[in-house]
Amino acid sequence: MSTMVKAEAVHKSFGPVHVLQGIDLEVRTGEVFCVVGPSGSGKSTFLRCINHLEKINAGRLYVDGTLVGYREKGGKLYELRDREVAAQRRDIGMVFQRFNLFPHMTAVENVMEAPVQVKRVPRAEARKRAEDLLDRVGLADKRESYPAQLSGGQQQRVAIARALAMDPKLMLFDEPTSALDPELVGEVLDVMKALARDGMTMVVVTHEMGFAREVGDSLVFMDGGVVVESGDPREVLSNPRHERTKSFLSKVL
């Protein structure tokens, strides 16, 4: 199995705050990789570093064998131009806690926007693909609805369809259900489970331990900017070895 994401000694600071303190991990192609931990542990920051929304201060991050955000020459890193970073990001879909949909566009227009603007896909072709993706996330009947007419769970499913419209090889999910009412969480997780069955490589920062146990192939527990424990999700969640992991899980399970 090939490697989709590789982090080597990744550090990230915001001023004096050292948020990531040497992250080493590997995500295999086709894997659902879950990241759990308390607020402020660096989970979301790490996710944002994978597509260079945040610049790392030290270390190396690779996606599908390509160094993210930099080129290396003579052992030194040089930051890529914005245009080159944007080209790398096309292959990486990201779904945030907040849906960030364009309020003045319908669901189908939201989904087709990036392929038309970024990839120059003809509008008719982009619309057909957008309609197929909305059908895939269970929203075929909502394609002409505006975000304000949709529930939070529906908006998040549109956001997932929008990310998929760029045909990414990797999907990043930053606590995609944390802003939702509890009864709407399931419909979003069901879409993510279907993606997992289809073989999409996914890195999921989540509080949904049931999802991690059921769907995850690997799990890391982060705290204080380091990976404290990692392994098979069922093993880590049922039988954590580290005291800090035990303490965290005792509060959330």
Side-chain angles (χ1 to χ4, degrees):
M1 217 184 208
S2 61
T3 298
M4 181 59 77
V5 179
K6 185 168 192 184
E8 297 176 347
V10 170
H11 288 258
K12 171 66 183 174
S13 297
F14 295 102
V17 183
H18 199 170
V19 180
L20 299 178
Q21 304 190 26
I23 300 290
D24 290 291
L25 55 79
E26 232 174 90
V27 180
R28 315 292 280 174
T29 303
E31 183 174 53
V32 179
F33 189 96
C34 296
V35 185
V36 304
S39 294
S41 59
K43 309 183 301 292
S44 293
T45 298
F46 176 69
L47 206 64
R48 291 169 67 84
C49 289
I50 293 175
N51 64 359
H52 206 59
L53 285 174
E54 298 290 355
K55 301 171 185 181
I56 63 176
N57 298 109
R60 304 280 190 279
L61 255 173
Y62 300 89
V63 170
D64 204 15
T66 301
L67 191 61
V68 173
Y70 301 91
R71 77 166 57 79
E72 192 164 352
K73 197 172 176 186
K76 290 179 77 172
L77 291 185
Y78 299 90
E79 191 164 5
L80 297 178
R81 296 189 192 90
D82 289 349
R83 193 175 70 244
E84 296 168 302
V85 173
Q88 287 187 335
R89 277 199 199 118
R90 286 182 201 177
D91 293 329
I92 305 172
M94 185 150 185
V95 179
F96 300 87
Q97 295 177 33
R98 297 280 166 200
F99 327 119
N100 301 326
L101 299 177
F102 296 116
H104 62 290
M105 292 184 181
T106 62
V108 74
E109 288 167 344
N110 264 284
V111 176
M112 62 189 277
E113 178 73 1
V116 169
Q117 297 298 334
V118 179
K119 286 191 168 178
R120 302 285 179 241
V121 175
R123 289 191 74 82
E125 185 185 325
R127 185 181 179 91
K128 173 75 176 76
R129 170 98 170 112
E131 289 173 351
D132 290 346
L133 285 168
L134 287 171
D135 186 31
R136 185 174 173 187
V137 299
L139 291 173
D141 58 331
K142 298 290 186 187
R143 59 191 187 207
E144 300 303 336
S145 299
Y146 289 90
Q149 299 168 312
L150 301 173
S151 71
Q154 290 168 335
Q155 289 187 60
Q156 192 61 296
R157 285 187 280 155
V158 173
I160 293 172
R162 180 179 60 181
L164 292 172
M166 292 293 282
D167 290 317
K169 54 180 135 184
L170 169 67
M171 284 283 282
L172 308 177
F173 291 89
D174 189 7
E175 298 186 14
T177 59
S178 65
L180 300 178
D181 292 333
E183 69 267 25
L184 302 177
V185 168
E187 63 191 49
V188 173
L189 294 181
D190 284 344
V191 169
M192 294 170 65
K193 288 173 189 173
L195 284 178
R197 286 194 295 274
D198 291 343
M200 174 63 75
T201 310
M202 296 159 46
V203 181
V204 185
V205 171
T206 186
H207 291 301
E208 301 292 336
M209 301 301 159
F211 173 84
R213 181 183 276 121
E214 181 187 343
V215 185
D217 297 299
S218 299
L219 179 142
V220 299
F221 170 67
M222 280 179 67
D223 189 36
V226 298
V227 173
V228 175
E229 191 162 338
S230 62
D232 179 278
R234 288 148 291 279
E235 181 62 29
V236 174
L237 294 174
S238 306
N239 196 13
R241 298 187 303 275
H242 199 284
E243 283 306 321
R244 182 67 189 93
T245 319
K246 289 178 187 171
S247 164
F248 172 75
L249 292 175
S250 71
K251 296 183 179 73
V252 298
L253 288 178

